[in-house]
Amino acid sequence: GVGGYGGNKGAVAVRFELGRSSFCFVNVHLAAGQENYIARCQNYSTILNKLRFDDELVHSEDVVRSYTDLGEASIKDVRADEGMRRVAARLRAQLARVRSGQAAPAPTSTEEAPEARSNSVGGLEAGSAQSTRSGTRILDHDHVVWLGDTNSRLHWPGHLGGMPLQQARQKVQQRRFGELLALDQLTLMRRDRMAFHDFEEHPICFVPSYKWHPGTDAYDMRSQKHVPAWT
């Protein structure tokens, strides 16, 4: 976190509808450290179960109308700016209500019903005590895409620090990446149905992404905390 005060683990998500299909993109930053395998699984469960989209937060008509009206480009730009200002005002008002603990006001008769709104954003800090609230959930969508930093490491039974660094260095030098990938924690948690098990992952066809010396083509393996992995 930031000085022990601001959390930097959790998720932010965005949803939209295209035709008759709904989409949700979830960007996550899970607990770091080889030893926090279970914490990462718990982060996933918390995000999946507690992240909700406040459907009253964004009135999609404000943005959609601004970008789809026919007319001169200059007029469209002005309308787009006006729409974005209205959206920003709603976001600020919602944030103020959350900070003060107030409930969101009910829609007025001139507003569109929440269930008819299609564009919104949601966020959740990992480990937060936020109670379950009404709203669209991640799994309510037709298509869900997860991305971000899962902080996955290489599992090594009986060794809290993961695969011994010397063995990892040898496998990298011999380019035995398949043996490393078989120990990938994200693969294992999906296999054991602890996290991400309802989702598919494209085949991994690249070398470990963690951890490189900046600006070089060489891994940073100076300590046990820097065992190569697909994070």
Side-chain angles (χ1 to χ4, degrees):
V2 181
Y5 293 97
N8 66 352
K9 302 297 188 292
V12 62
V14 62
R15 69 178 300 269
F16 62 89
E17 294 178 3
L18 183 63
R20 296 184 178 181
S21 298
S22 58
F23 296 80
C24 178
F25 288 80
V26 189
N27 194 345
V28 302
H29 189 192
L30 306 185
Q34 173 71 33
E35 68 281 4
N36 285 323
Y37 175 71
I38 299 300
R40 287 188 278 278
C41 296
Q42 294 171 337
N43 288 167
Y44 166 81
S45 179
T46 298
I47 293 166
L48 189 66
N49 293 318
K50 293 190 175 182
L51 191 147
R52 297 288 190 276
F53 292 92
D54 289 324
D55 294 328
E56 76 279 359
L57 186 60
V58 176
H59 191 165
S60 62
E61 183 182 349
D62 289 338
V63 178
V64 174
R65 183 180 59 239
S66 299
Y67 283 97
T68 57
D69 280 351
L70 297 177
E72 297 295 331
S74 59
I75 297 176
K76 293 171 65 177
D77 290 342
V78 170
R79 289 171 176 170
D81 290 341
E82 291 175 351
M84 292 308 296
R85 280 196 293 270
R86 286 194 291 271
V87 170
R90 284 191 175 89
L91 288 170
R92 287 193 294 269
Q94 176 70 4
L95 181 59
R97 288 195 296 270
V98 170
R99 288 175 174 172
S100 64
Q102 298 176 6
T108 64
S109 58
T110 59
E111 291 182 322
E112 184 181 2
E115 59 269 17
R117 299 173 186 172
S118 60
N119 300 330
S120 59
V121 293
L124 181 69
E125 182 179 334
S128 76
Q130 180 181 4
S131 61
T132 301
R133 62 180 187 274
S134 62
T136 304
R137 302 169 300 175
I138 293 175
L139 294 183
D140 289 335
H141 299 84
D142 299 316
H143 306 279
V144 179
V145 179
W146 295 81
L147 62 156
D149 185 359
T150 66
N151 267 312
S152 298
R153 299 293 192 262
L154 298 184
H155 185 63
W156 194 254
H159 193 275
L160 188 60
M163 173 181 283
L165 182 60
Q166 186 56 40
Q167 291 193 36
R169 181 180 290 114
Q170 182 180 18
K171 291 183 183 297
V172 168
Q173 292 171 346
Q174 298 174 353
R175 302 190 68 80
R176 294 158 61 185
F177 296 118
E179 297 179 22
L180 297 178
L181 187 57
L183 302 172
D184 173 58
Q185 288 182 340
L186 181 59
T187 299
L188 296 179
M189 65 176 65
R190 291 178 62 236
R191 182 199 67 186
D192 297 336
R193 304 186 65 80
M194 297 180 69
F196 299 102
H197 46 277
D198 292 323
F199 299 90
E200 297 180 358
E201 183 180 30
H202 282 285
I204 302 299
C205 301
F206 53 89
V207 300
S209 55
Y210 176 87
K211 183 176 191 298
W212 297 82
H213 284 293
T216 71
D217 192 24
Y219 279 106
D220 176 359
M221 293 187 287
R222 63 179 180 269
S223 72
Q224 185 62 40
K225 291 184 178 180
H226 298 87
V227 173
W230 287 266
T231 60

